[in-house]
Amino acid sequence: MAGETVTQTKWEGKACVELAIPTAQEVWPLVEDFCNLHKWLPTIDTCYQVDGILGQPGMVRYVATTTTTSSNGNEETMIKWAKEKLLMIDSIKRCLSYEVTDNNIGMKSYVGKSTVSPINDDGKNGCKIEWSFVCDPIEGLRFEDFLSYIETALQSMAKKMEDALLSSR
């Protein structure tokens, strides 16, 4: 109708995973290494710095994955990508935040935050990794599906990080 504005609500979500053995001090350097997401997230093929100073707010990374779909006997390969800008990084609080600045996956705005914290008061044995986000609704996706993706991705990342840390002990 003329004169009416439609406001879409932001999507807000959070996923958490606890690791029983690795400490927050051991896990944080893996999360803090902003350009090595492909080492920990199995769905990411590549992740590298494209602008700014490594590890400093303002740095931009390029993240991409290749997907192949098949329909009616035809295979189609597509590269899904995003450029993500590091907004804040705090090694004392073990947290960082970033925003998607450009992409081909339908995100209009997205800000993510990752935090690593101890699960015990003494800081020994175990930590919690948290991935939270605020974004505009993503065309073609339901909130529940996007949150499920974040939860699954975090679980996969945490498992790979834990395996790597335990094998190096």
Side-chain angles (χ1 to χ4, degrees), residues 64-77:
T65 187
T66 305
T67 59
T68 303
T69 57
S70 184
S71 65
N72 300 328
N74 296 325
E75 279 196 2
E76 183 178 329
T77 300

Side-chain angles (χ1 to χ4, degrees), residues 30-50:
L30 307 180
V31 174
E32 179 183 40
D33 191 356
F34 196 62
C35 290
N36 280 315
L37 186 62
H38 61 293
K39 288 182 179 179
W40 312 116
L41 189 53
T43 58
I44 300 297
D45 297 328
T46 189
C47 177
Y48 57 85
Q49 178 182 353
V50 293

